[in-house]
């Protein structure tokens, strides 16, 4: 299995631009999570989906952030407009609910976003 | 409000020594406590996990000790190796929460050769 795939791995953009981060979860997984990691705030859960439906987006910092999961194999996290304080590493993780203690979240390699 | 507090923030250990990282939680509804290991440039990966019905779980050189009454759990790395140098995160979740993980702030472990 290829694991969770994220693209791009690195993104440098200017303030005010739209940024779209992409994630392909592990095949067969039915839950997907978006996290943001910064030195100051650590790992923060932004939003998670179950069976492609957003369940909890309370971690999304502002209306500038939006996430979609049009199908079981693809999700996007969009920031519009981007700001320098959005600079962070964004991780996508997936799991298959119902495996009990084996509900392990598998993380992708992350997208390092820099907003100038 | 931070629900999982992790310490220390950084730890330096000699090769062969024991590394100990501690976490404390507040929400008594938590019933799953994993530890994740993260190498630079990589995403976190599950290292070991425990449920509160046991007080200890061991996998190779890695052991979780769990104290339900104190609401604390810790990771012990025996015979620490330079390859263990990474950032370690404790986490907690509860049944019915779709396994939303609440992460600690992380511990950067450096094992000196």
């Amino acid at each position: 299995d290829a694991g969770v795939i994220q693209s791009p791995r690195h993104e440098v953009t200017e303030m005010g631009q739209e940024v779209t981060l992409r994630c392909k979860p592990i095949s067969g997984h039915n839950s997907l999570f978006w996290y943001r990691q910064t030195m100051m705030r650590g790992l923060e859960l932004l939003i998670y989906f179950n069976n492609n439906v957003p369940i909890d987006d309370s971690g999304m910092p502002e209306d500038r952030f939006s996430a979609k999961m049009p199908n079981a194999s693809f999700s996007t996290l969009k920031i519009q407009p981007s700001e320098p304080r959005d600079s962070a590493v964004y991780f996508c993780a997936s799991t298959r609910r119902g495996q009990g203690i084996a509900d392990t979240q598998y993380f992708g390699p992350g997208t390092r976003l820099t907003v100038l | 409000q931070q629900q999982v507090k992790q310490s220390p923030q950084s730890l330096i250990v000699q090769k062969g020594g024991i590394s100990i990282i501690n976490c404390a939680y507040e929400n008594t509804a938590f019933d799953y406590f994993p530890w994740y290991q993260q190498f630079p440039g990589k995403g976190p990966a599950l290292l070991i996990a425990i449920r509160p019905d046991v007080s200890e779980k061991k996998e190779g050189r890695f052991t979780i000790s769990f104290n339900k009454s104190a609401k604390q759990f810790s990771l012990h790395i025996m015979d620490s190796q330079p390859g263990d140098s990474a950032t370690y995160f404790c986490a907690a979740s509860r049944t019915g929460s779709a396994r939303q993980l609440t992460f600690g702030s992380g511990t950067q472990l450096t094992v000196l050769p």
Side-chain angles (χ1 to χ4, degrees), chain B residues 38-71:
Chain B
Q38 184 180 25
F39 293 105
K42 305 291 186 182
L46 180 68
L47 182 63
I48 186 173
I50 196 169
R51 286 190 181 276
D53 53 347
V54 296
S55 60
E56 185 176 284
K57 183 174 182 179
K58 183 176 181 179
E59 291 184 0
R61 296 184 294 108
F62 300 90
T63 300
I64 299 178
S65 296
F66 185 82
N67 187 329
K68 188 174 182 179
S69 60
K71 293 187 289 185

Side-chain angles (χ1 to χ4, degrees), chain A residues 9 33 35 37 45 48 56 91 97 100-101 103-105 107-108, chain B residues 32 36 38 41-44 46 51 89 97-101 103:
Chain A
R9 293 294 311 276
F33 306 78
Y35 291 89
Q37 185 175 40
L45 177 65
Y48 80 90
D56 185 351
F91 289 103
R97 289 192 65 191
I101 196 168
D103 284 354
T104 301
Q105 288 190 25
F107 283 74
Chain B
Y32 176 65
Y36 278 77
Q38 184 180 25
K42 305 291 186 182
L46 180 68
R51 286 190 181 276
F89 293 92
S97 66
R99 288 297 173 219
Q100 289 186 72
L101 291 172
F103 282 91

Side-chain angles (χ1 to χ4, degrees), chain A residues 12-92:
Chain A
V12 180
T13 190
E14 293 187 348
M15 182 174 62
Q17 296 299 306
E18 177 180 295
V19 175
T20 299
L21 311 182
R22 298 172 176 80
C23 175
K24 177 179 170 58
I26 293 174
S27 177
H29 283 189
N30 56 6
S31 291
L32 184 141
F33 306 78
W34 281 101
Y35 291 89
R36 178 171 67 177
Q37 185 175 40
T38 61
M39 289 295 293
M40 291 295 295
R41 301 177 67 88
L43 268 167
E44 302 175 277
L45 177 65
L46 300 177
I47 185 172
Y48 80 90
F49 295 83
N50 191 45
N51 293 323
N52 312 337
V53 177
I55 303 299
D56 185 351
D57 65 355
S58 60
M60 297 285 261
E62 299 173 34
D63 291 344
R64 299 183 296 106
F65 286 70
S66 63
K68 294 182 179 180
M69 192 165 187
N71 57 63
S73 59
F74 184 66
S75 178
T76 59
L77 178 67
K78 184 177 295 186
I79 308 172
Q80 166 62 19
S82 58
E83 296 183 3
R85 59 193 169 120
D86 301 331
S87 298
V89 181
Y90 291 82
F91 289 103
C92 174

